[in-house]
Amino acid sequence: MRRRDLLAGIGSAGVLVGGGAVAAFGIPSPSNSTNGENDSDDSSGIVGKRREPLEIETVDAPGSEAGTVRVPASDQPTFIDFFATWCAPCEKQMDALVEAHQRVGDEVRFLSVTSESISDSELAAWWDEHDGDWTIGLDPTAELTSLYWGTPYPSAVSIDASGRVRWAETGVKSADELVAGIERAFGDGDTADGDE
Amino acid sequence: MDRRTYLGTVGIAGLTSVAGCLGGVLSGENTGESNTTLGSPEMNRGDPSYPIHGEEFPSFSLRDPLAEETVSLEDIVGERPFVITYFYSSCPDGMCQQLLQHLHRIQEDAIESDYADELGLLAMTFDPDRDTAEPLRTYGTQMGIDVDAGHWHFLRPSDNETAKTLLEETFGLPLRRDDETSDGSANESTNESANESSDTGGEYTFTHSALVQLVNDRGIVERAYPKASNQRDGVNTQVMVEDVRTVVGVNE
């Protein structure tokens, strides 16, 4: 439901969006939501959807090994932070991600994914500087990013072990919000959660 | 033409409901000669100021500052379909980023599926005073776009006044410039991100539409995607990619 509130909040700007303050980058206030001007095709968000698994490349960086990873993981929940190194709010969110990773990183395939054009060494340097300590995935063709509506940055999704998206949110989030979102994916898929 | 129309209907059936297509046909909207490959959109969005499905795209002639050439509608019509969006690179909130991300993914799909030469990708800045060649190159590259690809064109009007007139009068999209006030907020909103930008005194932002349009090789709009910065079931990158593939004719 959070996601839908968020979408409604953005949608309520009407045809005109943007302005300095409307905030895909910040956190639109759900209290400003009005459904009146919303497109009626906002029938649902990404939550509840399943996508075909994709194999993406991973980068040699602190906490991350060069190789490939399957998204979503087949045997455990998956969390994806979609980010870019040039995105200031993404930098700001790194502390919260570090804490979330420390708290629940053992129970989930924890990933940060970027579709920007950047060398592995630049990416690794940025990662080190911002205390990243988990797997970085590359999505140069933006295929994964498109599948999970991973923009604008930062956006986060959690996917349960069966491959179903359980939570998605755009904007800077606190560690508590991230952990709560990730934990949404810990269920067995039978738990009613109001996202249908 | 008939074949493409037929295929278009098939393609649409996969994206939306069959009932939506039949509804259009039965109510007479789609009878007779069709200028489009895609059927009428399932959603009726009223009568916006910009051209939508079945309407002619307005004539334009604009400079591509990276390729250092002029791009006009007349150059493209008869050659290939195109996708166009309108943005500015100082966009502080991720909206424009999202618009270009749609085009990035379309570009990648076109390259992967070998139809890059059969499609134009256009992104017009309405802030040419700041969006000169190098900032545009940087912005596009950050988004992962191959800005030197032959099908990619940033379009840059000569100055901001011209851009506003063009956007509003030719393309039918309202634009409002918001100069930051002394407390750093660009308008009445006082959320966190606005406050944080208070150290960028003298900057300005725009309140603008987040529109992507897909136009066929006859210069007719196949699909307009309003509020495209906000992904949802009806408007998202994958829908655009599928529509582009249908219009280009790579889905058969």
Side-chain angles (χ1 to χ4, degrees):
Chain A
M1 285 311 291
R2 292 291 305 271
R3 174 72 181 177
R4 293 190 60 183
D5 288 342
L6 178 72
L7 291 172
I10 294 174
S12 68
V15 173
L16 287 173
V17 297
V22 179
F25 258 4
I27 302 173
S29 167
S31 65
N32 290 338
S33 298
T34 53
N35 289 315
E37 295 174 78
N38 229 10
D39 272 6
S40 59
D41 61 354
D42 282 8
S43 52
S44 68
I46 189 76
V47 171
K49 292 184 164 57
R50 290 175 206 271
R51 304 301 199 198
E52 288 296 311
L54 270 188
E55 188 129 297
I56 63 166
E57 211 176 305
T58 55
V59 177
D60 179 21
S64 178
E65 288 177 18
T68 60
V69 65
R70 180 188 188 269
V71 181
S74 54
D75 53 350
Q76 62 179 334
T78 301
F79 166 76
I80 312 171
D81 155 55
F82 291 97
F83 81 109
T85 61
W86 46 262
C87 153
C90 302
E91 278 190 62
K92 182 182 164 191
Q93 190 180 242
M94 280 300 286
D95 287 346
L97 285 165
V98 168
E99 185 186 331
H101 176 250
Q102 285 166 352
R103 285 163 60 181
V104 294
D106 290 345
E107 301 165 75
V108 61
R109 167 76 46 83
F110 201 101
L111 288 172
S112 283
V113 171
T114 182
S115 66
E116 70 191 295
S117 304
I118 187 173
S119 73
D120 288 4
S121 57
E122 283 176 290
L123 190 54
W126 187 92
W127 198 240
D128 191 30
E129 186 185 333
H130 295 88
D131 302 323
D133 186 28
W134 57 92
T135 303
I136 312 178
L138 297 178
D139 185 31
T141 70
E143 185 174 11
L144 188 77
T145 306
S146 296
L147 283 178
Y148 291 99
W149 302 0
T151 47
Y153 304 119
S155 287
V157 297
S158 63
I159 305 165
D160 68 22
S162 78
R164 180 165 170 251
V165 176
R166 304 292 291 195
W167 172 77
E169 200 161 299
T170 290
V172 175
K173 293 155 291 287
S174 68
D176 285 347
E177 288 170 324
L178 288 167
V179 169
I182 292 166
E183 286 177 342
R184 295 283 290 275
F186 288 175
D188 56 8
D190 294 331
T191 314
D193 62 7
D195 281 323
E196 306 305 321
Chain B
M1 188 30 220
D2 285 340
R3 180 174 135 274
R4 292 193 62 180
T5 304
Y6 170 73
L7 290 170
T9 304
V10 172
I12 271 295
L15 295 172
T16 60
S17 76
V18 174
C21 288
L22 290 177
V25 172
L26 293 175
S27 65
E29 291 167 21
N30 266 359
T31 55
E33 191 74 2
S34 173
N35 283 321
T36 57
T37 301
L38 300 178
S40 296
E42 190 173 73
M43 272 284 300
N44 181 354
R45 296 192 171 92
D47 186 20
S49 51
Y50 51 83
I52 57 171
H53 174 82
E55 297 176 354
E56 277 186 33
F57 196 81
S59 182
F60 66 88
S61 180
L62 285 164
R63 195 75 184 156
D64 173 343
L66 300 190
E68 297 186 340
E69 63 187 39
T70 298
V71 177
S72 71
L73 180 72
E74 289 67 31
D75 292 338
I76 304 173
V77 168
E79 294 288 323
R80 56 184 70 89
F82 67 93
V83 177
I84 186 167
T85 193
Y86 315 83
F87 79 106
Y88 71 117
S89 70
S90 307
C91 200
D93 49 27
M95 298 285 178
C96 305
Q97 186 197 108
Q98 177 66 73
L99 298 175
L100 291 202
Q101 187 70 31
H102 294 310
L103 270 62
H104 173 216
R105 178 59 198 152
I106 293 167
Q107 178 180 58
E108 295 289 353
D109 190 68
I111 293 168
E112 285 168 13
S113 296
D114 206 23
Y115 64 94
D117 294 339
E118 298 168 56
L119 178 72
L121 293 169
L122 312 181
M124 182 195 126
T125 173
F126 42 77
D127 188 18
D129 289 355
R130 289 186 291 193
D131 285 342
T132 53
E134 279 319 298
L136 288 173
R137 172 179 294 281
T138 301
Y139 193 68
T141 303
Q142 280 181 341
M143 294 310 304
I145 292 162
D146 178 0
V147 297
D148 294 316
H151 61 191
W152 179 268
H153 297 288
F154 281 119
L155 303 179
R156 182 180 177 272
S158 54
D159 56 63
N160 278 22
E161 193 179 339
T162 307
K164 180 177 166 68
T165 304
L166 188 71
L167 197 70
E168 295 190 329
E169 295 180 9
T170 300
F171 297 115
L173 296 170
L175 182 70
R176 191 184 75 210
R177 176 171 158 152
D178 304 306
D179 287 280
E180 297 209 348
T181 53
S182 54
D183 67 356
S185 97
N187 53 33
E188 62 283 354
S189 178
T190 55
N191 76 13
E192 199 177 1
S193 64
N195 288 334
E196 284 196 348
S197 60
S198 61
D199 58 356
T200 59
E203 293 294 309
Y204 56 90
T205 57
F206 291 98
T207 300
H208 61 97
S209 303
L211 183 70
V212 176
Q213 286 154 308
L214 167 60
V215 182
N216 67 26
D217 61 4
R218 279 158 289 177
I220 308 295
V221 176
E222 291 276 357
R223 195 66 92 229
Y225 308 94
K227 288 189 267 177
S229 56
N230 171 13
Q231 299 212 63
R232 53 199 189 271
D233 275 353
V235 176
N236 60 63
T237 310
Q238 287 172 285
V239 165
M240 292 181 202
V241 168
E242 284 306 312
D243 287 350
V244 166
R245 294 176 71 99
T246 302
V247 169
V248 171
V250 290
N251 272 353
E252 53 243 56

Coordinates of all heavy atoms in Angstrom, one line a residue, chain A residues 93-105 110 127 130-134 175 178:
Chain A
Q93 N 21.7 8.0 1.0 CA 21.0 6.8 1.5 C 22.0 5.6 1.9 O 21.6 4.6 2.5 CB 20.0 6.2 0.4 CG 19.1 5.1 1.0 CD 18.1 4.7 0.0 OE1 16.9 4.8 0.2 NE2 18.6 4.1 -1.1
M94 N 23.3 5.8 1.5 CA 24.2 4.7 1.7 C 24.3 4.3 3.2 O 24.4 3.1 3.6 CB 25.6 5.1 1.2 CG 25.7 4.9 -0.3 SD 25.4 3.2 -0.9 CE 26.9 2.4 -0.3
D95 N 24.3 5.3 4.1 CA 24.4 5.0 5.5 C 23.2 4.1 6.0 O 23.4 3.1 6.7 CB 24.4 6.2 6.4 CG 25.7 7.0 6.3 OD1 26.7 6.4 5.8 OD2 25.7 8.2 6.7
A96 N 22.1 4.4 5.5 CA 20.9 3.6 5.8 C 21.0 2.2 5.2 O 20.6 1.2 5.9 CB 19.6 4.2 5.3
L97 N 21.5 2.1 4.0 CA 21.7 0.8 3.4 C 22.7 0.0 4.2 O 22.6 -1.2 4.3 CB 22.2 1.0 1.9 CG 21.1 1.4 1.0 CD1 21.7 1.9 -0.3 CD2 20.1 0.2 0.7
V98 N 23.8 0.6 4.6 CA 24.9 -0.1 5.4 C 24.2 -0.7 6.6 O 24.4 -1.9 6.9 CB 26.0 0.9 5.7 CG1 26.9 0.2 6.8 CG2 26.8 1.2 4.5
E99 N 23.4 0.1 7.3 CA 22.8 -0.4 8.5 C 21.8 -1.5 8.2 O 21.8 -2.6 8.9 CB 22.1 0.7 9.3 CG 21.5 0.3 10.6 CD 20.7 1.3 11.3 OE1 20.9 2.5 11.1 OE2 19.8 0.9 12.1
A100 N 21.0 -1.3 7.2 CA 20.0 -2.4 6.8 C 20.8 -3.7 6.4 O 20.3 -4.8 6.8 CB 19.2 -1.9 5.6
H101 N 21.9 -3.5 5.7 CA 22.6 -4.7 5.3 C 23.2 -5.4 6.6 O 23.1 -6.7 6.7 CB 23.8 -4.3 4.4 CG 24.7 -5.5 4.0 ND1 26.0 -5.6 4.5 CD2 24.4 -6.6 3.3 CE1 26.5 -6.7 4.0 NE2 25.6 -7.3 3.3
Q102 N 23.6 -4.7 7.6 CA 24.1 -5.3 8.8 C 23.0 -6.0 9.5 O 23.2 -7.1 10.1 CB 24.7 -4.2 9.7 CG 26.1 -3.7 9.2 CD 26.6 -2.4 9.9 OE1 25.8 -1.8 10.7 NE2 27.8 -2.1 9.6
R103 N 21.8 -5.5 9.5 CA 20.7 -6.0 10.2 C 20.1 -7.3 9.6 O 19.8 -8.3 10.2 CB 19.7 -5.0 10.5 CG 20.1 -4.0 11.6 CD 19.3 -2.7 11.6 NE 17.8 -2.9 11.8 CZ 17.0 -1.9 11.9 NH1 17.4 -0.7 11.7 NH2 15.7 -2.2 12.1
V104 N 19.9 -7.2 8.2 CA 19.2 -8.4 7.6 C 20.0 -8.9 6.4 O 19.4 -9.8 5.7 CB 17.8 -7.9 7.2 CG1 16.9 -7.6 8.4 CG2 17.8 -6.7 6.2
G105 N 21.2 -8.5 6.2 CA 21.9 -8.9 5.0 C 22.2 -10.4 4.9 O 22.3 -11.0 3.8
F110 N 21.3 -9.5 -1.0 CA 21.3 -8.0 -0.9 C 22.1 -7.4 -2.0 O 23.3 -7.7 -2.1 CB 21.9 -7.6 0.5 CG 21.5 -6.3 1.0 CD1 20.6 -6.1 2.0 CD2 22.2 -5.1 0.6 CE1 20.3 -4.9 2.5 CE2 21.9 -3.9 1.1 CZ 20.9 -3.8 2.1
W127 N 32.2 2.9 -4.1 CA 31.7 2.0 -3.2 C 32.5 2.0 -1.9 O 31.9 2.0 -0.8 CB 31.7 0.6 -3.8 CG 30.9 -0.4 -3.2 CD1 31.3 -1.6 -2.7 CD2 29.4 -0.4 -3.1 NE1 30.2 -2.3 -2.3 CE2 29.0 -1.6 -2.5 CE3 28.5 0.5 -3.5 CZ2 27.7 -1.9 -2.3 CZ3 27.1 0.2 -3.3 CH2 26.8 -1.0 -2.7
H130 N 32.0 5.1 0.2 CA 30.7 5.2 0.9 C 30.3 3.9 1.7 O 29.2 3.7 2.1 CB 29.6 5.4 -0.2 CG 29.7 6.7 -0.8 ND1 30.5 6.9 -2.0 CD2 29.2 8.0 -0.5 CE1 30.4 8.2 -2.3 NE2 29.7 8.9 -1.4
D131 N 31.4 3.2 2.0 CA 31.3 2.0 3.0 C 30.3 0.9 2.5 O 29.8 0.2 3.3 CB 30.8 2.5 4.4 CG 31.7 3.6 4.9 OD1 33.0 3.4 4.8 OD2 31.2 4.5 5.6
G132 N 30.2 0.8 1.2 CA 29.4 -0.3 0.7 C 30.2 -1.6 1.0 O 31.4 -1.7 1.0
D133 N 29.4 -2.7 1.3 CA 30.0 -3.9 1.7 C 29.1 -5.1 1.3 O 29.0 -6.1 2.0 CB 30.2 -3.9 3.2 CG 31.0 -5.1 3.7 OD1 31.8 -5.7 2.9 OD2 30.8 -5.6 4.8
W134 N 28.5 -5.0 0.1 CA 27.7 -6.1 -0.4 C 27.8 -6.1 -1.9 O 28.5 -5.2 -2.5 CB 26.3 -5.9 0.1 CG 25.6 -4.6 -0.3 CD1 24.9 -4.4 -1.4 CD2 25.6 -3.4 0.5 NE1 24.5 -3.0 -1.4 CE2 24.9 -2.4 -0.2 CE3 26.2 -3.0 1.7 CZ2 24.8 -1.1 0.2 CZ3 26.1 -1.7 2.2 CH2 25.3 -0.8 1.4
A175 N 17.0 3.4 7.5 CA 17.3 2.0 7.7 C 16.1 1.2 8.2 O 15.9 0.1 7.7 CB 18.5 1.9 8.7
L178 N 13.9 0.5 5.2 CA 14.5 -0.5 4.4 C 14.3 -1.9 5.0 O 13.9 -2.8 4.3 CB 16.0 -0.2 4.2 CG 16.3 1.0 3.3 CD1 17.8 1.4 3.4 CD2 16.0 0.7 1.8

